[in-house]
C-alpha cells in the first residue's frame, strides 16, 4: 500500500529507480538488488547514491543495551576516542534514539536478511558520510568522564576487518586467508573472504601452523565468495579417517596438511553468504564448537533475475535458502547460523588491546567442551603435540 501510493508521485526514471530499490528493501533479502535492464542504461541514480562515502574512523559493538568503540583510528583518534569507550550519543541523538532512527533510514533503501545483519551493518558502515562531513560524538573516556567532540571525516574505510585485534604474528597468505597464533599458542586462521584460491591459501596456513594443540577459525568480516565446501571441511579430517555427518555422506580427508585437532569457530553478523555456509558446517556437522556475538547474517541463498516489462530494470532476488539442512531443516536465509555460545566484547579487553572472543576461544581450547561436539579428535587418531 505504501509503495503503490508513492508510485503515483513518480515523475522520472530516477525516481522510479528509487521506488524499486525501496521495494526490494522490504523483501528482507540481503542479496536483493535492482539492476539495469536492456532499456535502463541511461537511468541516472540519485546523486547521493554515487557520492563517495567514508567512515569516521571507528566501529562499534553492542554490549547489553550500551554501545562501545570496538576499533578507533583516523578522525576518531584525532579527537581522543579509543577502543573500549562507551558511546553515549551521535549527532546529538542519544544512542537509544540514534540506533533505531538510523536503522529505519538504512532499511528504507537497503535489504537486510535479518535483524543482526542490519545491526552489524549499522555498527560498522552505518555512520558513513562524505569526506569533509562532520559527526558529533558524545562518549565516556576510560576513566568514566563524559566528553563531546566533533570529528571531521577523512578517508577511513567502512569495511569491517572482522576481529577487533589480531595476533602479533598475524600475516596474510592471499586474498582470503590470514594466519597466526593466539596468546595461548593455539593456531589462528582468519577467513576474510571465500575467494577462488581459498583452498590453496588454507593449505598454506595449515602447513605453516603444523599440529597445534587447538585451532581457532575466525569468519568475522567474511564477505562471501564460493568454494567446494566438502573440500574445505575435509582439510579438518585426518588422512585415513572420515567425518560422519547427519545430513550428508561421511567426509574423507583432503589436503596434504589436514588438521584433526579441536576447533573453535568464531562468527558474527558480519559473516555473510559463503562465509555462513563454510563456518556453519563445522557446527552442523559436529566438527567444531561455535561462538560469536550473534548469529551469522542469514544472507545465504539461491538467486534469480526477473526482467520487468518496461525493460528499464531487473530485480535480483533470492528464491531459496542455501544449506537447507541447517537449523533443523530451515536453512540459513533469514535465520543465520547461531553460535553455541554467545560472547559479547568486554570493554576492558578492548581498552587493553584484547579481542574477547579470541580470548574465549583460547579458554575453550584449554578445556574443550567435548560433550557439545560430536567429533572427538582422539577417536580420529589425533594426538596433541
Amino acid at each position: 500500500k505504501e509503495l503503490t501510493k508513492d508510485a503515483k508521485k513518480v515523475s522520472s526514471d530516477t525516481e522510479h529507480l528509487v521506488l524499486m530499490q525501496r521495494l526490494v528493501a522490504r523483501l528482507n533479502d540481503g542479496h536483493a538488488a535492482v539492476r539495469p535492464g536492456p532499456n535502463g542504461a541511461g537511468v541516472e541514480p540519485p546523486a547521493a547514491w554515487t557520492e563517495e562515502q567514508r567512515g569516521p574512523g571507528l566501529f562499534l559493538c553492542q554490549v547489553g543495551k550500551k554501545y562501545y568503540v570496538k576499533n578507533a583510528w583516523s578522525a576518531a583518534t584525532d579527537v581522543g576516542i579509543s577502543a573500549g569507550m562507551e558511546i553515549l550519543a551521535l549527532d546529538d541523538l542519544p544512542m537509544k534514539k540514534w540506533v533505531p532512527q538510523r536503522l529505519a533510514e538504512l532499511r528504507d533503501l537497503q535489504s537486510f536478511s535479518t535483524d543482526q545483519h542490519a545491526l552489524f551493518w549499522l555498527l560498522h558502515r552505518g555512520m558513513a558520510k562524505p569526506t569533509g562531513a562532520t559527526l558529533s560524538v558524545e562518549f565516556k573516556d576510560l576513566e568514566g568522564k563524559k566528553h563531546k567532540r566533533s570529528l571531521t571525516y577523512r578517508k577511513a574505510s567502512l569495511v569491517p576487518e572482522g576481529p577487533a585485534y589480531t595476533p602479533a604474528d598475524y600475516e596474510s597468505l592471499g586474498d582470503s586467508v590470514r594466519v597466526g597464533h593466539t596468546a595461548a599458542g593455539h593456531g589462528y586462521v582468519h577467513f576474510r573472504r571465500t575467494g577462488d584460491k581459498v583452498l590453496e591459501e588454507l593449505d598454506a596456513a595449515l602447513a605453516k601452523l603444523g599440529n597445534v594443540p587447538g585451532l581457532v577459525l575466525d569468519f568475522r568480516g567474511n564477505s562471501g565468495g564460493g568454494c567446494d565446501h566438502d573440500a574445505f571441511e575435509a582439510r579438518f579430517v585426518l588422512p585415513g579417517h572420515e567425518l560422519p555427518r547427519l545430513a550428508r555422506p561421511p567426509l574423507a580427508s583432503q589436503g596434504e596438511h589436514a588438521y584433526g585437532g579441536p576447533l573453535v569457530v568464531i562468527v558474527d553478523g558480519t559473516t555473510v553468504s559463503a562465509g555462513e555456509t563454510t563456518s556453519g558446517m563445522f557446527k552442523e556437522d559436529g566438527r567444531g564448537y561455535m561462538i560469536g556475538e550473534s548469529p551469522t547474517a542469514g544472507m545465504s541463498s539461491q538467486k534469480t533475475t526477473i526482467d520487468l516489462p518496461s525493460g528499464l530494470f531487473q530485480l535480483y532476488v533470492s528464491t531459496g535458502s542455501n544449506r537447507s539442512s541447517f537449523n533443523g531443516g530451515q536453512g540459513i536465509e533469514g535465520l543465520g547460523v547461531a553460535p553455541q555460545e554467545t560472547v559479547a566484547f568486554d570493554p576492558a579487553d578492548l581498552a587493553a588491546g584484547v579481542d574477547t572472543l579470541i580470548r574465549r576461544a583460547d579458554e575453550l581450547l584449554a578445556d574443550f567442551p567435548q560433550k557439545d561436539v560430536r567429533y572427538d579428535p582422539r577417536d580420529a587418531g589425533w594426538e596433541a603435540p
Side-chain angles (χ1 to χ4, degrees):
K1 289 183 179 179
E2 175 190 9
L3 297 182
T4 299
K5 180 180 178 181
D6 290 346
K8 297 176 182 178
K9 305 172 187 177
V10 168
S11 59
S12 70
D13 289 341
T14 296
E15 291 179 358
H16 187 185
L17 172 60
V18 173
L19 184 74
M20 296 304 297
Q21 186 58 46
R22 293 180 64 213
L23 171 69
V24 298
R26 281 146 180 79
L27 295 178
N28 295 327
D29 170 6
H31 283 104
V34 181
R35 296 178 171 179
N39 302 329
V43 179
E44 293 290 337
W49 290 14
T50 58
E51 187 173 23
E52 187 174 30
Q53 300 290 300
R54 296 295 187 179
L58 58 91
F59 294 145
L60 304 179
C61 59
Q62 184 177 19
V63 182
K65 294 183 178 181
K66 297 180 179 181
Y67 298 88
Y68 291 85
V69 179
K70 184 173 79 170
N71 311 94
W73 72 103
S74 186
T77 55
D78 289 349
V79 298
I81 297 172
S82 62
M85 292 182 176
E86 182 185 353
I87 298 296
L88 304 174
L90 292 174
D91 279 340
D92 300 318
L93 280 177
M95 293 302 285
K96 66 179 181 181
K97 291 186 178 180
W98 183 86
V99 169
Q101 177 174 307
R102 184 64 181 132
L103 275 174
E105 292 169 353
L106 289 171
R107 298 187 89 152
D108 184 53
L109 278 170
Q110 185 167 341
S111 198
F112 297 99
S113 290
T114 60
D115 288 342
Q116 69 267 18
H117 184 200
L119 178 63
F120 275 77
W121 183 280
L122 169 76
L123 298 180
H124 294 85
R125 305 173 189 247
M127 295 168 282
K129 292 186 181 184
T131 301
T134 60
L135 178 71
S136 171
V137 186
E138 186 176 350
F139 60 96
K140 281 185 183 179
D141 65 23
L142 300 178
E143 286 72 47
K145 296 179 181 179
K146 293 183 180 181
H147 304 269
K148 187 174 182 179
R149 300 282 189 271
S150 179
L151 61 81
T152 301
Y153 283 67
R154 301 210 311 261
K155 293 187 177 181
S157 174
L158 288 165
V159 181
E161 176 66 22
Y165 296 99
T166 55
D169 62 346
Y170 183 79
E171 63 175 301
S172 174
L173 298 183
D175 185 55
S176 297
V177 175
R178 287 90 167 106
V179 66
H181 292 82
T182 68
H186 298 115
Y188 175 85
V189 184
H190 178 212
F191 297 97
R192 182 64 184 81
R193 54 186 57 82
T194 313
D196 294 341
K197 296 184 178 181
V198 66
L199 295 178
E200 177 184 322
E201 294 171 25
L202 174 55
D203 285 339
L206 294 176
K208 191 174 187 68
L209 292 171
N211 190 30
V212 286
L215 189 56
V216 180
L217 305 181
D218 195 340
F219 289 84
R220 289 175 293 175
N222 188 294
S223 57
C227 70
D228 181 331
H229 293 84
D230 282 354
F232 189 103
E233 190 176 20
R235 264 68 178 175
F236 301 93
V237 181
L238 286 178
H241 294 269
E242 291 185 334
L243 175 67
R245 300 182 292 181
L246 295 180
R248 290 177 290 158
L251 182 65
S253 177
Q254 293 186 42
E256 294 183 10
H257 306 282
Y259 178 74
L263 300 176
V264 173
V265 177
I266 307 179
V267 298
D268 66 14
T270 66
T271 308
V272 306
S273 198
E276 302 182 72
T277 53
T278 47
S279 62
M281 62 191 178
F282 290 100
K283 174 193 169 186
E284 291 284 337
D285 292 340
R287 177 60 184 89
Y289 187 78
M290 180 180 283
I291 66 173
E293 282 185 90
S294 77
T296 63
M299 176 186 155
S300 184
S301 61
Q302 298 99 46
K303 280 80 67 177
T304 192
T305 300
I306 302 170
D307 293 309
L308 300 184
S310 68
L312 290 175
F313 308 114
Q314 297 173 328
L315 302 187
Y316 183 69
V317 295
S318 295
T319 57
S321 178
N322 284 337
R323 292 300 186 190
S324 59
S325 63
F326 283 19
N327 292 314
Q330 298 179 84
I332 297 175
E333 181 66 36
L335 294 172
V337 181
Q340 288 152 289
E341 181 179 323
T342 301
V343 180
F345 278 108
D346 182 337
D349 281 347
L350 292 171
V354 174
D355 187 303
T356 304
L357 285 90
I358 297 176
R359 177 174 61 77
R360 178 57 181 153
D362 263 344
E363 294 170 353
L364 288 163
L365 288 169
D367 185 16
F368 195 69
Q370 191 60 66
K371 62 181 178 60
D372 297 316
V373 180
R374 294 194 304 277
Y375 171 89
D376 189 326
R378 295 164 295 185
D379 294 340
W382 179 77
E383 295 183 4

